[in-house]
């Protein structure tokens, strides 16, 4: 995996028109909140961004994904995993997808994507997403709420 800096990730996401975001099995607040915040941040830039539906998402986190999900992969979209520590942890329907970019805070992550950013010093993947969105400027209440859920539930 080619390691990218936060500015490089922000630029790579800025340059694409569509993004599909993947979460992990048995989703917790970090993967759910990180995916929602990234998706909303990308949409604020005019990008076509969706989170692949995760059948294990609980009612606790479902409100953060409302209006952001798609039932199947989007042809031609850049595939990004958030808070997924290994390919085997990808949610149902995502295990065979090629992951183009991974964003994670687990130091045990083997780097299963072509490019990515792994920061074991981050308490949650939400911290990484925060820094990416900060590169683009601009915030919304829904992005802030999603980041709060990501960070508060994982720390």
């Amino acid at each position: 995996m080619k390691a990218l800096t936060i500015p490089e990730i922000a630029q790579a996401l800025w340059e694409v028109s569509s993004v599909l975001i993947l979460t992990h099995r048995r989703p917790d607040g970090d993967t759910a909140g990180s995916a929602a915040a990234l998706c909303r941040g990308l949409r604020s830039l005019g990008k076509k961004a969706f989170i692949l539906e995760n059948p294990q998402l609980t009612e606790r986190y479902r409100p953060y994904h409302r209006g952001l999900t798609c039932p199947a992969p989007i042809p031609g979209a850049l595939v990004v995993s958030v808070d997924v520590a290994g390919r085997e942890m990808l949610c149902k329907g995502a295990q065979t997808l090629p992951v183009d970019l991974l964003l994670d805070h687990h130091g045990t992550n083997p780097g299963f994507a072509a490019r990515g950013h792994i920061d074991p010093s981050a308490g949650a993947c939400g911290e990484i997403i925060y820094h990416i969105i900060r590169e683009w400027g601009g915030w919304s209440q829904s992005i802030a709420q999603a980041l709060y859920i990501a960070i508060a539930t994982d720390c």
Side-chain angles (χ1 to χ4, degrees):
M1 178 189 87
K2 180 181 178 186
L4 300 179
T5 64
I6 295 292
E8 289 172 330
I9 292 164
Q11 184 63 36
L13 291 168
W14 180 273
E15 292 173 352
V16 298
S17 59
S18 64
V19 177
L20 177 66
I21 302 166
L22 308 179
T23 56
H24 64 66
R25 294 182 296 157
R26 297 181 309 275
D28 59 8
D30 193 14
T31 196
S34 292
L38 181 60
C39 189
R40 291 184 188 285
L42 288 163
R43 285 184 177 188
S44 75
L45 299 175
K47 308 297 179 184
K48 180 180 174 186
F50 290 95
I51 303 166
L52 183 65
E53 285 180 6
N54 185 331
Q56 293 182 321
L57 188 67
T58 64
E59 288 304 316
R60 181 178 189 183
Y61 301 119
R62 193 170 311 283
Y64 298 98
H65 283 204
R66 195 163 286 123
L68 301 177
T69 63
C70 64
I74 302 167
L78 181 80
V79 178
V80 180
S81 69
V82 293
D83 193 46
V84 181
R87 176 169 282 287
E88 70 284 356
M89 292 297 297
L90 287 167
C91 71
K92 184 178 180 182
Q95 300 93 346
T96 60
L97 293 177
V99 179
D100 301 305
L101 181 66
L102 71 81
L103 305 171
D104 195 19
H105 70 114
H106 298 98
T108 57
N109 191 312
F112 60 89
R115 303 176 293 167
H117 184 82
I118 302 169
D119 181 0
S121 72
C125 189
E127 288 185 48
I128 297 166
I129 303 302
Y130 163 79
H131 291 294
I132 293 166
I133 293 172
R134 192 174 70 177
E135 288 286 320
W136 300 326
W139 292 93
S140 69
Q141 183 176 356
S142 59
I143 290 172
Q145 288 173 331
L147 287 173
Y148 175 79
I149 290 300
I151 296 167
T153 59
D154 224 42
C155 293

